[in-house]
Amino acid sequence: MQYEESRCKAILETWWQKQNDRISVSFWTDSPSSFLPSAIYKAPYPGGCTYHPSTFKGILDHFKTQESGFDWFMVVDDDTYVYPDRLLSFLATVDEGLSLLVGDFINWPLRYPSWRDVYESCLKKPAPLNYDYRLWPGGGAGLVFSASGVSNVLDMIKELEADQSTLLAPINHDVWLHRIIEEQGASRIARIHCPGFHQFGDRELLPVEKSRPGVLVSVHLNHDIELMHTFHKLL
């Protein structure tokens, strides 16, 4: 509700308009009286991290039970510019029948020098020497799941129901999801880096879109909503 008049309105004025018979965009909201089209309200937001674990689980539950006609599902922040057609083109290169999680695994640590400190603070273990798939995908740029990927993550969450310290850990949803996957078996969902996803970079990526249109897929704007329209005008 806090950002419906700013961030969500900017999405409505820009990339939301790219919907078609293959793409559907909904807004997960904590307002039962939201003015947003396709708004989904389930319960008040518990507060805390960007997505409380119970909120994130609720989103995945909704995907599985109410949106079963889709092959792919994306959870993305409301301060992110997405190119839906480019995302579909990338996803067409992989098998949607597999259990998959797609996101920015590799780009974000390049722009975040203290990633090792964050890793050790959140996961309570030594960080790897180099960034790789032992890191999490930056949640701001979006987490994309295949249908079976959603089911497998929900199964892993259910198996951890007795471990409240993990299920309700006060960490952001991307790190929380990574922790669950690592603890329950990484082989149950394959992780794919999409080079066009960027957790960080925002304004630095404007020249990329100008000189190499088509390269960017999802750009987290880190609260700079003015950029939503700037990127859109470059199309």
Side-chain angles (χ1 to χ4, degrees):
M1 185 175 181
Q2 180 180 0
Y3 298 114
E4 288 192 359
E5 291 286 352
S6 54
R7 300 181 184 182
C8 296
K9 186 177 180 182
I11 290 175
L12 289 175
E13 294 170 347
T14 57
W15 64 268
W16 182 84
Q17 300 175 17
K18 294 293 185 178
Q19 294 183 95
N20 54 39
D21 59 345
R22 301 180 63 202
I23 302 167
S24 177
V25 181
S26 298
F27 294 91
W28 192 271
T29 179
D30 61 350
S31 172
S33 57
S34 174
F35 73 90
L36 297 169
S38 305
I40 301 170
Y41 171 79
K42 296 289 185 179
Y45 180 61
C49 305
T50 304
Y51 299 92
H52 188 277
S54 63
T55 300
F56 188 68
K57 180 179 180 297
I59 293 172
L60 296 182
D61 278 327
H62 178 83
F63 283 161
K64 183 174 181 179
T65 61
Q66 305 298 319
E67 308 288 351
S68 59
F70 289 92
D71 295 322
W72 297 98
F73 305 95
M74 182 179 192
V75 182
V76 64
D77 282 13
D78 54 11
D79 59 339
T80 298
Y81 191 89
V82 180
Y83 297 85
D85 50 342
R86 299 178 190 177
L87 176 58
L88 284 181
S89 295
F90 178 82
L91 294 176
T93 66
V94 295
D95 185 353
E96 72 273 9
L98 301 177
S99 176
L100 300 173
L101 167 59
V102 179
D104 173 11
F105 287 90
I106 306 299
N107 288 332
W108 76 263
L110 284 170
R111 298 178 181 274
Y112 200 83
S114 59
W115 65 267
R116 289 185 180 85
D117 295 335
V118 176
Y119 183 99
E120 294 179 358
S121 173
C122 292
L123 299 181
K124 311 301 181 186
K125 60 182 179 180
L129 294 178
N130 299 300
Y131 52 86
D132 55 26
Y133 283 84
R134 285 172 291 178
L135 295 182
W136 50 85
L143 307 176
V144 181
F145 299 87
S146 63
S148 59
V150 169
S151 295
N152 283 342
V153 170
L154 286 171
D155 287 344
M156 286 186 261
I157 293 173
K158 186 175 181 179
E159 291 163 12
L160 278 171
E161 282 182 348
D163 183 2
Q164 293 299 302
S165 64
T166 295
L167 284 182
L168 299 179
I171 51 181
N172 282 333
H173 67 295
D174 45 9
V175 183
W176 180 76
L177 174 65
H178 176 80
R179 181 173 166 181
I180 287 175
I181 292 173
E182 288 292 301
E183 290 186 8
Q184 294 299 102
S187 63
R188 296 166 70 176
I189 183 166
R191 288 166 281 185
I192 297 176
H193 173 65
C194 177
F197 275 47
H198 293 270
Q199 174 75 4
F200 301 113
D202 41 79
R203 288 189 178 274
E204 297 175 26
L205 293 168
L206 284 171
V208 175
E209 178 61 22
K210 292 177 181 178
S211 62
R212 302 171 62 196
V215 170
L216 302 179
V217 177
S218 182
V219 181
H220 184 220
L221 306 178
N222 292 282
H223 308 166
D224 191 347
I225 303 306
E226 176 188 343
L227 284 177
M228 193 82 72
H229 293 91
T230 304
F231 274 99
H232 193 68
K233 289 176 182 177
L234 293 176
L235 290 175

